[in-house]
Amino acid sequence: MSRRIVLSVTAGVVVLSGAGAFALAYAGGQPPVLAHNTARYAAPEGDRAGSLAFTTDVTASSGVKNVKVLAWPAKSSFAKKGLTVKEMAAAETAVCKPAGGDTMRCTYKVPITRADAEASPRGLWHVAVLATDKDGDTTLDTKAADFTVV
């Protein structure tokens, strides 16, 4: 091989190795990613309680530490001022189970009594989610999913 080809190949390997190391370092500092968010609301009927169920897939390279969930009416003070990470820290925790790779499937389910349903504002509601990974990085989605209370 000529000297020029050897130098070109060596330079290419050095550049690609550096780019790969940068990509790995960058990927390690990413906050959790939320996907496939769904909310299902069922109003109480007769003697049967209703329920609210929310599911999301959370991907975090360092692992998922916890996922907090809060349902809130669209016509509330949160709509004007917005939810904060600090407020969401006091929300209820979803149950998370492995879903393959760095992904956890997290589910939050709560029963809805007739009294709960009667006291709840009618109309559009949002589900807010705060996902925290084991490195302490967070992702807050204040409108991860919607449902309607009729």
Side-chain angles (χ1 to χ4, degrees):
M1 252 194 254
S2 77
R3 184 178 168 118
R4 189 179 307 167
I5 292 174
V6 171
L7 287 175
S8 295
V9 169
T10 302
V13 168
V14 169
V15 168
L16 289 176
S17 296
F22 175 77
L24 284 175
Y26 182 73
Q30 294 295 308
V33 175
L34 305 173
H36 311 294
N37 305 322
T38 59
R40 286 186 303 284
Y41 173 80
E45 283 187 38
D47 293 340
R48 183 184 60 83
S51 66
L52 170 63
F54 172 77
T55 304
T56 186
D57 290 342
V58 182
T59 302
S61 59
S62 68
V64 175
K65 180 178 178 183
N66 65 44
V67 175
K68 302 286 189 157
V69 179
L70 176 69
W72 58 279
K75 294 179 181 177
S76 71
S77 62
F78 291 137
K80 293 181 179 114
K81 70 176 186 107
L83 277 165
T84 66
V85 169
K86 186 176 179 181
E87 291 166 327
M88 285 297 296
E92 295 184 28
T93 304
V95 175
C96 298
K97 296 181 179 179
D102 295 332
T103 301
M104 300 287 276
R105 173 144 306 128
C106 301
T107 304
Y108 171 78
K109 188 171 184 178
V110 62
I112 306 293
T113 65
R114 182 162 305 287
D116 292 335
E118 289 171 359
S120 296
R122 304 292 179 247
L124 181 65
W125 283 61
H126 303 293
V127 178
V129 180
L130 173 66
T132 304
D133 69 14
K134 291 183 179 175
D135 288 338
D137 296 319
T138 61
T139 296
L140 174 61
D141 186 345
T142 60
K143 296 179 182 177
D146 299 325
F147 64 94
T148 302
V149 174
V150 291

